Structure formats: structure tokens, C-alpha cells
């Protein structure tokens, strides 16, 4: 091959190589152009996302001068255009009282500490004060280190949060006040479930009772699948009031009594129990309930024990006194409720009806019907007054036993077909209020027995003192009773209750009767019973 042929071959190869390189360069240039288009499109999209972001996005220099604000920022800060904001400083927007906080946070920020969810009070261009919550990071913008701020106006959220807090606080106040009226654990659970449903706006609220082996003993609602999920997430190390959230809801331990664990269970699909304020409220109310759970359990156990002992023939005196004391207190409360609510309402309607009949010209038939209603209301009012007087003896505490008994006998004389005689001598011994109410209740019971069983035409009561002893005597001239059938008769005519009352104050009782010869009862109370100064509680805890 000649020298020229070799040169021609080399040139041909070089040309082919150049063509291939040029082809590859063309492809690379095309790819670069496409990538540049994508980058520009991405930048435009990113700018659009920044510009149209729902939260305010601001860019500031290291000197805290504003150089960029998106549309949300313009809207929040009350600006019509960016020119109204660009060039303003953070100190121009944040109110002066917040400047010390801004200075402190800037020192932390410069030292590398990121700022998340910081709240400042900001004065907008429209002169409104808003609560602006923001987070800040450092970034490079136009070859300079800048501060990027992302934030939002949380003024309305804070108002809602404050209102929610007030609602929750009022709920706790009302709930704790209502707890004083709760008498059983069942009432407590019903009140708790009602409160949670009203506050959290959730329908599926229940209480389950389990043991340490996760055996289910009781539930007040929800389905078995939900209960199984609760048991899977149950941790015995969790304390009372500690909230446990899981997929379908949450639960909290509210009591642990007699080896049984009570869990309050809430089934929901939202964040009801994850909101901080509501979670704290739920934990607080659970701890209130846990204390009452334990106290009510103790009271119920004690009540059962007292009930059992009260059935014994040899009931301890302190138990009798306690039971009668509780009964009288409840009678007093019931009498006050009847007098202050039911009776007053009846009197109000009675007077309105009287006014209507006197002020209006009514047809005779209508007036007669209203008169019947008026008389019926008057009878109801009188019956309520009688009931109140029975529950809370009039004059007893204010004027003493004798006046109270005279009032009782005077009223009863109109309702019985026998004559009531009451003889007394001035009491020279002080008797306690407990002894007075006991003798008064016994007099009521004896009158009731006389009406039902005695067939007497004369009943005598007497009250006297002799050598440090108070004597209360009852006697009638009725059919009497056979002492051979005393056990039956004793229960049948209510003497058992009378005897227990006398025993409760340390008195003695004597019975005398025979068929056709009437019935006599004598109660004696020694002065030593109340000279000792022992109160009811002192005997209970003796």
C-alpha cells in the first residue's frame, strides 16, 4: 500500500470518528436541553408551589430584612403587593413587647439551634394584631445566606383552643360537683360515660372489668372485637389515668378494686383522644373517678356489713345509732327537697289558678271545673305539708319534745276514732336531740299501731322524770295481745323497730299486755346515757 493510501485511510477513520463523536455530542446536547427544560419546568413548578402554598413563606436576610413573601404571607400580613412588604424588617412587624423573645431566639438560631413552632404577636399592615406561628431554617438565596420562614396565623385556632379549654374546665367543675350526689359505682359509671359522650362528641364509650389474667367479667357496651383489641394493648404496668391510644380508639384505667381492673374504653376514628387538651382532661377526670371508685366500694362493702349486722338480734348499739342517724338525715334532706321544690311549685300554681278565677269572667261550667282543680291542688299541698312534717318533725329542735308531741297528737286526733291524752311533767333533765327524735318516732309508730290493731277508744301518753331517769309511757284500753304469741305479734305490730330504736339510745323497754286488757309500753332513759359525752362517731371508732 502506498504512502498516500495510508494517509487517506487514516483521514477516513478520523472522519468517521469525528462523525460519531458529533452524533454523540448532538444526542448529549439534546438531552441537556431536555434536562434544562425539565429543570426550568421543575423550578417553575417549585416557584408556583412556594407562591401558592397555603402557609406563609417569607425569606429574610441575616439582618432580618424581608426580601420575599408568597401570596399567603401577603394575605396574612394585610399587604396588597410584595412591594408593600419587601424591605420591611422583622422588628417592624413583630410588636415591641415581643422583641426580647425575638432577640433571644435569634441568638439560639445563629448558634445552630433550629426554631420550630415559635409564636409571635405580629401587627399586620391593616393594624390588626395576630398570633403568627413560624418555623425557620437557613438557606442560600442569590449566593447569600438567608432565613426561610414558614408560618401561619393561628389566632382563630388559639381562640378555639381557649374555648375548648374553658369547656373542658367547666366540664371538670360540673362533674366534680355532681360526684357529691353519686351514691353507687353504677351511678358513677353512668355519669362518667354521659360526660365523655357530651364533651368528646363520641357515642361508643364503655367500661369493662377484667382481672390480672385478662379475663373479661363485665362490660357496659361496645362489641367483642373492640374488647379483644383493648386486651391486646393492655399493659398492667400502666398507672391509673395513663391514656393508651391504639388504632380504633383509646382506653384508660379508672379503678382497681378487689383484684378487678376497670377500664374506660373509647372507640373512635379521629384524633379525639390525641389532642393534648382533651387527653389531659380525660386523664384528670379518670383520676377523680378512681378515687371515688375506691371510696364507693368501701362504702358499699360497709353498707352490706351493716345491713347484715342490723338483722342480728344482738345488733351492736353503735350500728343501730348509725343506721337511725343516716335515716333521719335522709328524711331531713327529702323533707327539704319537697318543701323547697314540689310544695312551692304547687302553691305557685294554686295562686295562679285563684287569680285566673277571680280576674276572668268565665263560663259557669269552666269555673266549676277550675274550682275542682283548685280544691285538688289544695289537698295536694296539704298532703305534701303533712309528709314534710312527718319526715321532719315541726317544733322538735326549736321548741322541744313536749311542744312537738302536742302538735303531733293534736293533728292525729282529727284522723283517729279514739281519744288521745297526753300528760307530762316539766322535765328536770336535759335530753339530747337524738333521744328526742327517738321518742318522737316511737310516738308516731305507737299511734300507727293503735289505729291498725288496738281497737281502743282511749290512748294515753305520759312523759316524766324521776331520780335521773326519763320515763315515756304508752297505754291503751284496746284488745291487747297474748304473750304466748309475743314473737309473732312483736314483729307483726312493729315492736321490733321500736325496740331497736330504744336500744340505739341505751334505753330500756317494758311491755305489759293481755287479751282484752289493753297494751302498755314503758321506756326509761337514764341520765348517764348522755352524761358520758360520747358522740356517735366516738362510739363508732371506739
Amino acid at each position: 500500500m502506498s504512502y498516500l493510501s495510508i494517509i487517506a485511510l487514516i483521514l477516513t477513520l478520523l472522519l468517521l470518528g469525528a462523525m460519531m463523536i458529533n452524533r454523540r455530542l448532538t444526542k448529549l446536547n439534546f438531552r441537556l436541553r431536555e434536562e434544562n427544560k425539565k429543570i426550568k419546568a421543575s423550578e417553575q413548578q417549585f416557584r408556583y408551589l412556594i407562591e401558592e402554598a397555603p402557609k406563609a413563606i417569607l425569606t429574610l436576610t441575616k439582618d432580618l430584612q424581608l426580601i420575599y413573601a408568597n401570596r399567603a404571607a401577603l394575605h396574612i400580613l394585610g399587604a396588597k403587593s410584595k412591594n408593600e412588604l419587601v424591605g420591611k424588617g422583622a422588628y417592624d412587624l413583630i410588636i415591641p413587647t415581643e422583641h426580647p423573645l425575638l432577640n433571644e431566639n435569634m441568638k439560639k438560631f445563629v448558634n445552630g439551634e433550629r426554631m420550630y413552632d415559635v409564636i409571635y404577636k405580629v401587627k399586620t399592615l391593616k393594624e390588626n394584631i395576630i398570633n403568627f406561628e413560624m418555623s425557620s431554617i437557613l438557606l442560600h438565596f442569590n449566593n447569600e445566606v438567608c432565613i426561610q420562614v414558614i408560618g401561619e396565623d393561628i389566632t382563630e385556632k388559639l381562640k378555639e383552643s381557649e374555648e375548648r379549654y374553658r369547656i373542658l374546665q367547666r366540664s371538670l367543675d360540673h362533674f366534680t360537683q355532681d360526684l357529691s350526689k353519686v351514691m353507687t359505682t353504677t351511678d358513677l359509671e353512668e355519669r362518667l360515660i354521659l360526660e365523655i359522650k357530651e364533651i368528646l362528641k363520641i357515642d361508643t364509650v364503655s367500661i369493662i372489668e377484667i382481672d390480672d389474667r385478662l379475663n373479661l367479667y363485665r362490660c357496659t357496651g361496645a362489641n367483642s372485637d373492640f374488647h379483644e383489641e383493648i386486651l391486646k394493648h393492655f399493659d398492667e404496668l400502666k398507672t391509673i389515668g395513663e391514656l393508651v391510644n391504639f388504632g380504633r380508639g383509646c382506653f384508660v384505667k379508672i379503678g382497681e378494686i378487689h383484684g378487678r381492673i376497670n377500664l374506660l374504653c373509647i372507640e373512635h376514628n379521629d384524633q379525639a383522644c390525641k389532642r393534648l387538651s382533651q387527653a389531659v382532661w380525660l386523664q384528670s377526670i379518670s383520676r377523680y373517678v378512681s378515687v371515688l371508685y375506691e371510696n364507693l366500694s368501701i362504702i358499699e362493702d360497709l353498707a352490706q356489713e351493716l345491713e347484715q349486722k342490723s338483722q342480728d338480734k344482738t345488733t351492736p348499739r353503735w350500728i343501730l345509732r348509725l343506721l337511725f342517724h343516716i335515716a333521719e338525715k335522709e328524711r331531713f334532706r327529702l323533707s327539704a327537697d319537697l318543701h323547697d321544690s314540689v310544695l312551692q311549685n304547687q302553691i305557685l300554681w294554686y295562686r295562679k289558678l285563684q287569680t285566673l278565677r277571680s280576674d276572668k269572667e268565665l263560663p259557669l261550667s269552666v269555673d266549676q271545673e277550675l274550682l275542682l282543680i283548685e280544691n285538688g291542688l289544695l289537698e295536694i299541698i296539704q298532703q305534701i305539708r303533712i309528709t314534710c312534717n312527718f319526715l321532719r318533725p315541726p317544733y322538735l329542735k326549736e321548741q322541744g319534745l313536749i311542744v312537738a308531741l302536742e302538735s303531733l297528737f293534736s293533728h292525729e286526733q282529727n284522723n283517729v276514732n279514739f281519744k288521745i291524752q297526753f300528760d307530762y311533767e316539766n322535765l328536770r333533765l336535759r335530753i339530747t336531740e337524738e333521744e328526742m327524735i327517738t321518742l318522737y318516732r316511737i310516738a308516731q309508730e305507737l299511734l300507727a299501731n293503735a289505729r291498725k290493731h288496738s281497737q281502743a277508744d282511749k290512748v294515753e301518753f305520759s312523759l316524766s322524770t324521776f331520780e335521773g331517769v326519763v320515763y315515756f309511757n304508752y297505754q291503751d284500753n284496746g284488745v291487747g295481745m297474748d304473750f304466748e304469741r309475743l314473737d309473732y305479734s312483736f314483729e307483726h305490730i312493729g315492736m321490733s323497730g321500736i325496740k331497736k330504736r330504744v336500744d340505739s339510745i341505751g334505753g330500756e323497754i317494758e311491755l305489759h299486755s293481755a287479751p282484752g286488757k289493753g297494751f302498755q309500753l314503758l321506756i326509761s332513759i337514764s341520765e348517764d346515757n348522755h352524761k358520758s359525752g360520747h358522740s356517735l362517731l366516738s362510739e363508732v371508732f371506739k
Side-chain angles (χ1 to χ4, degrees):
M1 181 180 292
S2 65
Y3 177 73
L4 292 174
S5 299
I6 295 171
I7 292 174
L9 179 60
I10 292 172
L11 290 173
T12 301
L13 293 171
L14 289 172
L15 181 60
L16 290 172
M19 291 174 65
M20 292 177 66
I21 291 171
N22 183 57
R23 191 178 298 165
R24 288 186 178 181
L25 287 174
T26 301
K27 289 182 178 180
L28 286 173
N29 285 332
F30 178 77
R31 288 180 182 175
L32 285 173
R33 285 196 299 272
E34 291 298 316
E35 290 298 327
N36 284 332
K37 288 181 182 179
K38 290 180 180 179
I39 289 172
K40 288 182 179 179
S42 178
E43 287 179 353
Q44 290 176 353
Q45 187 176 13
F46 180 73
R47 288 179 181 274
Y48 176 79
L49 291 174
I50 292 291
E51 188 66 25
E52 301 298 328
K55 288 192 175 184
I57 298 178
L58 304 163
T59 305
L60 299 93
T61 64
K62 290 191 295 184
D63 298 329
L64 300 183
Q65 297 299 309
L66 193 63
I67 57 177
Y68 172 77
N70 70 347
R71 289 187 182 181
L74 297 179
H75 175 71
I76 290 173
L77 296 175
K80 295 180 180 178
S81 67
K82 295 180 181 179
N83 293 332
E84 292 185 62
L85 282 179
V86 172
K88 286 189 174 293
Y91 288 96
D92 298 326
L93 297 172
I94 296 174
I95 64 174
T97 55
E98 301 277 280
H99 289 178
L101 176 62
L102 177 60
N103 294 334
E104 182 182 349
N105 287 336
M106 282 305 301
K107 289 178 183 178
K108 296 178 182 179
F109 189 66
V110 171
N111 292 329
E113 186 176 336
R114 294 185 178 182
M115 294 289 109
Y116 291 111
D117 301 332
V118 180
I119 300 175
Y120 294 105
K121 289 191 178 298
V122 171
K123 188 175 185 179
T124 69
L125 301 186
K126 294 182 179 180
E127 302 294 323
N128 297 324
I129 303 297
I130 64 171
N131 293 283
F132 190 72
E133 184 180 54
M134 53 175 261
S135 300
S136 307
I137 58 171
L138 288 175
L139 55 74
H140 291 275
F141 182 77
N142 292 337
N143 297 322
E144 292 185 6
V145 177
C146 297
I147 302 171
Q148 186 83 62
V149 173
I150 301 174
E152 62 178 325
D153 179 7
I154 62 167
T155 305
E156 292 302 319
K157 286 185 178 179
L158 287 179
K159 288 181 181 178
E160 292 176 4
S161 177
E162 289 173 0
E163 179 61 23
R164 189 183 305 118
Y165 172 80
R166 283 195 291 269
I167 291 172
L168 297 178
Q169 187 59 48
R170 283 199 300 268
S171 166
L172 279 178
D173 293 341
H174 294 159
F175 184 75
T176 51
Q177 289 174 7
D178 288 350
L179 291 186
S180 62
K181 304 173 185 176
V182 170
M183 302 302 293
T184 66
T185 53
T186 301
D187 294 340
L188 175 62
E189 290 177 354
E190 290 176 354
R191 182 65 183 84
L192 174 63
I193 290 173
L194 177 64
E195 190 72 18
I196 291 173
K197 285 182 176 180
E198 288 183 356
I199 296 300
L200 299 185
K201 309 302 180 186
I202 294 174
D203 292 329
T204 312
V205 181
S206 59
I207 292 174
I208 65 173
E209 185 177 319
I210 60 176
D211 61 15
D212 54 1
R213 296 184 179 181
L214 303 187
N215 295 312
L216 181 63
Y217 286 90
R218 179 176 64 93
C219 64
T220 63
N223 55 52
S224 58
D225 293 340
F226 184 57
H227 294 155
E228 289 179 7
E229 283 200 48
I230 290 172
L231 297 180
K232 288 179 183 177
H233 290 84
F234 177 73
D235 182 357
E236 62 180 8
L237 298 179
K238 294 289 184 181
T239 59
I240 287 177
E242 191 171 352
L243 195 62
V244 178
N245 284 288
F246 62 100
R248 289 179 59 182
C250 63
F251 65 88
V252 59
K253 185 192 293 187
I254 58 173
E256 193 167 356
I257 303 167
H258 302 319
R260 303 283 179 85
I261 300 166
N262 295 297
L263 300 178
L264 172 67
C265 310
I266 303 173
E267 186 175 9
H268 61 84
N269 296 319
D270 59 13
Q271 302 295 312
C273 293
K274 293 184 179 179
R275 299 189 190 104
L276 180 59
S277 58
Q278 293 182 344
V280 171
W281 170 81
L282 190 57
Q283 290 173 328
S284 299
I285 209 169
S286 298
R287 292 189 177 101
Y288 278 124
V289 169
S290 69
V291 175
L292 201 57
Y293 245 129
E294 185 175 354
N295 290 339
L296 285 175
S297 177
I298 294 172
I299 291 171
E300 288 175 357
D301 291 345
L302 179 59
Q304 289 179 0
E305 184 178 349
L306 290 175
E307 184 66 25
Q308 291 173 356
K309 286 193 174 293
S310 67
Q311 303 302 321
D312 297 341
K313 292 185 177 179
T314 56
T315 308
R317 177 182 170 189
W318 71 267
I319 291 181
L320 292 173
R321 293 184 68 188
L322 179 61
L323 292 175
F324 287 128
H325 177 75
I326 293 171
E328 288 300 330
K329 195 170 184 179
E330 188 62 20
R331 284 192 180 100
F332 183 89
R333 185 194 64 79
L334 183 56
S335 174
D337 288 345
L338 283 173
H339 183 275
D340 296 340
S341 58
V342 179
L343 180 59
Q344 299 307 315
N345 289 336
Q346 296 294 328
I347 292 173
L348 176 64
W349 286 110
Y350 175 74
R351 288 173 178 169
K352 284 184 177 181
L353 193 56
Q354 279 187 320
T355 303
L356 177 64
R357 290 186 59 243
S358 61
D359 293 349
K360 301 286 185 180
E361 289 291 337
L362 300 171
L364 181 61
S365 60
V366 174
D367 186 67
Q368 288 178 344
E369 287 292 331
L370 292 178
L371 180 60
L372 288 175
I373 296 172
E374 185 179 312
N375 291 334
L377 280 174
L378 192 59
E379 289 181 9
I380 292 172
I381 290 170
Q382 185 62 23
Q383 189 59 47
I384 293 173
R385 282 180 170 151
I386 292 171
T387 303
C388 289
N389 290 340
F390 177 81
L391 293 170
R392 183 187 180 188
Y395 314 117
L396 183 62
K397 188 173 181 179
E398 295 81 0
Q399 300 185 38
L401 180 60
I402 292 175
V403 175
L405 288 175
E406 285 181 326
S407 175
L408 172 66
F409 299 147
S410 174
H411 177 268
E412 287 295 321
Q413 187 64 76
N414 299 321
N415 303 314
V416 296
N417 55 7
F418 50 80
K419 183 180 179 182
I420 303 174
Q421 183 175 333
F422 178 40
D423 297 319
Y424 61 88
E425 298 177 10
N426 292 329
L427 295 178
R428 292 182 293 276
L429 294 177
R430 180 184 61 85
I431 62 174
T432 66
E433 183 179 347
E434 183 182 6
E435 291 167 347
M436 284 195 295
I437 190 65
T438 298
L439 294 177
Y440 187 91
R441 293 297 181 200
I442 290 173
Q444 286 179 315
E445 186 64 32
L446 289 170
L447 284 172
N449 288 338
R451 270 199 310 270
K452 295 176 184 177
H453 309 291
S454 72
Q455 300 178 26
D457 55 29
K458 184 178 180 181
V459 167
E460 298 179 65
F461 289 89
S462 66
L463 189 63
S464 60
T465 59
F466 181 71
E467 294 184 353
V469 179
V470 176
Y471 293 98
F472 183 75
N473 185 65
Y474 166 88
Q475 187 171 352
D476 66 47
N477 61 353
V479 296
M481 71 174 65
D482 186 355
F483 271 95
E484 292 181 0
R485 301 175 63 241
L486 182 60
D487 289 341
Y488 166 77
S489 299
F490 204 74
E491 297 292 335
H492 181 62
I493 65 173
M495 287 296 116
S496 176
I498 292 177
K499 185 177 187 308
K500 286 184 177 180
R501 281 192 177 274
V502 174
D503 289 343
S504 72
I505 58 173
E508 295 182 1
I509 184 170
E510 296 179 26
L511 300 173
H512 303 280
S513 183
K517 294 186 178 181
F519 177 82
Q520 182 180 6
L521 175 145
L522 178 64
I523 296 170
S524 56
I525 305 170
S526 173
E527 183 184 13
D528 295 336
N529 288 340
H530 46 83
K531 273 190 175 181
S532 60
H534 289 167
S535 68
L536 177 59
L537 288 179
S538 69
E539 291 206 14
V540 169
F541 293 103
K542 186 176 180 181

